[in-house]
Amino acid sequence: MRNIKNITCKVLQQKYLYQPRLATLYYSTAKNADTKVHLAAGYQPKEVEEAYWERDKEEANLPQEGNSCNRGPYRMLLPPPNVTGNLHLGHALMATVQDVIARQQRQLGYEVDWVPGTDHAGIATQVVVERTLTTAQGKTRHDIGREAFLEEVWRWKAAKGAGIVQDLRLLGCNLNWSREYFTMDEQQAHAVNVAFERLFDEGLIRRRNSLVNWSTTLQSAISDIEVEVMDIKEPTDIRVPGYKHSIAFGRIFDFAYTVVDGETQPDGSAEEIVVATTRPETILGDVAVAVHPLDPRYSKYRNRDMVQLKHPFRNDTIPLVFDLAVDRDFGTGAVKITPAHDKFDFELAARHNLEPRQVFSQDGFILDTFKDFEGMPRFEARDQIVHLLESMGLLRQVRPHPIQLPICSRSKDVIEYMIWPQWFLNCKEMAQDALSELNSGRLQIIPSNFEVEWDRWLQDGRDWCISRQLWWGHQVPAYQFSDAEGNTHWVAAPSEQEAIQKALALLGGSEEELTLVRDPDVLDTWFSSALLPFSVAGWPNASYKEKYPLDIMQTGHDILFFWVARMMMMGLKLTGEAPFNKVLLNGIVCDAHGRKMSKSLGNIVAPQQVVQGASLDSIMDGLEQSMQAGVINKAEMDVSYKCMSKMFPKGIQECGTDALRFTLLSHNIKNHFINFDVTTCHTNKLFINKIWQAMRFTMGAAERLSISLHQYETLEGVNLGTWDRWIIGRLGETLAICSDSYKNYNFHMATAALKQFFYQNLCDTYLETTKTEINHRTPNGYIHVGTLTACLSWGLQAMAPFTPFVASELLQHVPLNIEVKLSDYADRKLDAEINDIVGICQSIRQLKSKHKVSKRHEPNLTLFATSSESEEMLGRHLQQIQLLARCESVDLDMLDENSKHSRKMNLFSTAGPLCSFGLTMSADFGMTVKQREEMIRVNIKRLKRLMTELQKYRMRLDNEAFQLMADEKTREHFRNRVRELEAEIETIMQESA
């Protein structure tokens, strides 16, 4: 074995062909004219990939050659997959995109340093492991304690982390595994502690009571990205964890607050203000009722000193306040204010100096300060409160009302907004610094429409809640201690000993007199992730500068703020340098119907199921194992079973890794959503097989001509035929599109161009035209084989970043550096001529197919040229037309008043403006009167369509405004189209005469 590497730095600038190719190609050194190399009858992904890894093992044992074309480092960071399971298709997309970028940069001579790793995923991992613990042992984390639970999580990480690494390897990702990290390894933990300490000491991290997203099931604050919004348009019963029965949502309740010392109404009732709420259970924590100061319904209260309202469940009153933020169009225009459990109310209460009143405990039960409801679950208390309001005569109405219900994506619990002591990072100045990177042009975001999102998130610059009430994660490196007067203080330090020294420096005294308690909370997972560009490089050690910053940050657009913007903020703050200057965002992978893949929908397809194929039974077994492992619950299992049975009643066909990669990048990755269809993936497997068969044909042709493909070194000075020159021209254009697509990250344009070249141009067209010359062993046959070899060699090298396994396999059989000067073969006139010929042949084949004409009918083709120019052009390609149209013979004649051949033909039709054609078959081809009438009807229908189109073009040309506004190129195009239509119409008219 030997390692073939690109060792030249010559660049293609519309002159010599230098197409970037595989960074590493593995093949046997035994390449000579006497050696036969076996190639299987068809493309089998499993065998191809296994052979690739065998070559990889052999290569690892050989001395590594240096790259004489080192243009410096190119650094990337793989977004770390969570250790909660195997890779999903979203991971596969990101990994494939980055692998293609990495391979391309290596081909350009860069030393690519692409760093892999996995994320500890605090909440997600803790939920899954606790669910597993409950399933396997019937215990919760509280039953076994924090230390034992963390041991369980580390065991889970060891098993799942290895699976993720294996999935990435199988995907063909060429990562720098020597730098693999885990976000809770020793280096990352040290970086997190130092970062927290520095930000704390600078006064940017502070602890305070504030309103946060709270999961009562997890008993922890969670980030906004872990909150899913359920859009409820009508009363709906929803399962909520911890409740035996479903809870109704989608209703609004109108109830009355009685005005203290208010006027008696004409009907004798007390004066009241009616408010509307979707959350009656929070009435217990109401501290005010607010109205808009300009609302005429409440203007009479503006002149009163202090309007007080009687609370229905507490022995006190609450004030009526006026605030411009109140929506006058919501309900009655009066809203209850519960600052302890609502974001809007929290901010409004702060403006009016209203003290919040907590209603719920951290696990979602009513606090003991409300004796009549003490210990009741919050949604059971809701029903009780509504019942009591009705009995007190205060409930006015219950009606349907659309709401957006916040759900914890991890526990599926309904989010409760709670005031809880948390650590907050002041992001205001850091956000402005990150914003200036974009505004100054130093940062590029692709696609650019996400610049608006960047601006929207960072302009706000809100404080970031970085603490979580979990067990799994980086424990907050903050220590609490008390001074002599009993006042509590906090210090931040990487270790307890350093914290003690800091505390003593603040207070004095001796270490024996000091008691420190470390905060049991952990940091938000995004905090450690925000450090990754420099923490994986070794920060805070000064040597990190050798591997920092990154050249590009590629990830999904859904975490632009939660991760990308925070990496920018932390990088600028802690290193003084931006962690990257280019961000490439990909869309979210959805199923074939455009639905986001999720456990709740049950439509998640794993990459390896697509690669290896999966029977319906194996899919179901996998779901059962996921449930047993705690990855999904019983309800999600049932939904997944139904969905998978409907989507894949016969299972998933084996597609292979190359087809998966090619399919993922056949989509515009910059689109907001990417709909992945397994059927399309299998079609691409068949496309790869088409290339495989082209290689087998070329190898067989070389064997027939008693030559070796590796004898072909150059096409310079070779007298290529018309179709040889055409296919080389198509190769050149394809490679140019690929090169441009790499630069602009329009990978879908490259895959489309490659598919067009290999499928339509090379396999279906050019290769077919070579068979006669090769079979007859003519000199042109040798040229055709050389042309095929060049096309396969350069074309597969262009395919290699997308399909590394099959490219590596097939490129063993052809030389890699066939010299060819592409600029000599760029010929638009020839392209148009060949396209016309191919179009004519397609028309012929379509007519044959429609009438079930096969080879046994011995079809003979006659072409009727519409002009001397078209006759001359058709005459140059009769041999190719015979092969492509699959006819026994081809005759050419002029179409004029003397041409009545169509009446002697079994079939006749038009093939566009250049010619019409007729087919004569053997005696056993019987054509019924009905079939002939149908043929005539089709021609009449075509004639009507052409006449209508001709009329439209003539009307446009006769339009004075068009003549004035259109440029000469456009006018000439219209005139040419009119001439083409007139010629085709004349052809049909003569045939029908």
Side-chain angles (χ1 to χ4, degrees), residues 121-148:
I123 292 178
T125 304
Q126 179 164 309
V127 169
V128 171
V129 175
E130 187 165 12
R131 192 184 292 163
T132 305
L133 188 67
T134 302
T135 303
Q137 302 179 27
K139 295 179 180 180
T140 67
R141 60 188 167 102
H142 299 284
D143 294 331
I144 65 173
R146 184 165 185 159
E147 186 174 341

Side-chain angles (χ1 to χ4, degrees), residues 495-535:
S495 67
E496 183 174 352
Q497 191 58 44
E498 291 174 87
I500 291 172
Q501 297 305 314
K502 280 191 170 185
L504 291 175
L506 286 172
L507 297 181
S510 65
E511 186 174 332
E512 291 74 20
E513 299 172 352
L514 190 65
T515 301
L516 270 73
V517 178
R518 186 172 184 175
D519 190 335
D521 290 352
V522 301
L523 290 167
D524 180 9
T525 301
W526 295 108
F527 185 87
S528 55
S529 298
L531 311 178
L532 286 175
F534 48 96
S535 65

Side-chain angles (χ1 to χ4, degrees), residues 469 490 540:
Q469 290 62 53
W490 288 91

Side-chain angles (χ1 to χ4, degrees), residues 740-890:
D740 187 60
S741 300
Y742 287 132
K743 293 175 187 175
N744 300 315
Y745 308 108
N746 292 323
F747 304 114
H748 63 294
M749 297 179 70
T751 55
L754 288 165
K755 200 166 186 177
Q756 170 78 17
F757 172 73
F758 275 115
Y759 218 133
Q760 281 82 19
N761 299 153
L762 186 69
C763 297
D764 283 356
T765 304
Y766 176 76
L767 185 147
E768 294 295 325
T769 67
T770 67
K771 291 181 177 179
T772 299
E773 301 282 2
I774 290 173
N775 288 337
H776 291 114
R777 302 183 182 183
T778 67
N780 283 336
Y782 288 85
I783 294 175
H784 293 332
V785 173
T787 304
L788 283 167
T789 303
C791 288
L792 286 168
S793 176
W794 291 113
L796 281 166
Q797 289 178 67
M799 279 274 286
F802 303 104
T803 57
F805 297 98
V806 73
S808 174
E809 181 71 25
L810 295 182
L811 283 168
Q812 296 179 83
H813 308 292
V814 290
L816 299 181
N817 293 291
I818 299 177
E819 187 179 2
V820 55
K821 193 175 181 181
L822 287 182
S823 58
D824 289 350
Y825 303 99
D827 188 338
R828 294 192 177 278
K829 184 177 179 182
L830 177 60
D831 286 345
E833 183 172 316
I834 299 297
N835 286 342
D836 285 338
I837 296 298
V838 172
I840 291 168
C841 294
Q842 287 174 342
S843 297
I844 297 167
R845 289 202 303 268
Q846 286 169 2
L847 187 66
K848 288 172 61 183
S849 175
K850 184 175 182 180
H851 293 280
K852 297 181 174 57
V853 177
S854 64
K855 186 176 181 180
R856 69 181 180 85
H857 295 121
E858 301 175 359
N860 293 284
L861 173 67
T862 302
L863 299 174
F864 300 100
T866 56
S867 66
S868 57
E869 291 81 5
S870 61
E871 182 181 28
E872 181 184 353
M873 189 267 279
L874 291 167
R876 293 195 291 269
H877 305 287
L878 292 181
Q879 178 181 332
Q880 289 77 20
I881 292 173
Q882 179 180 344
L883 289 166
L884 294 175
R886 299 173 190 137
C887 294
E888 295 295 311
S889 65
V890 180

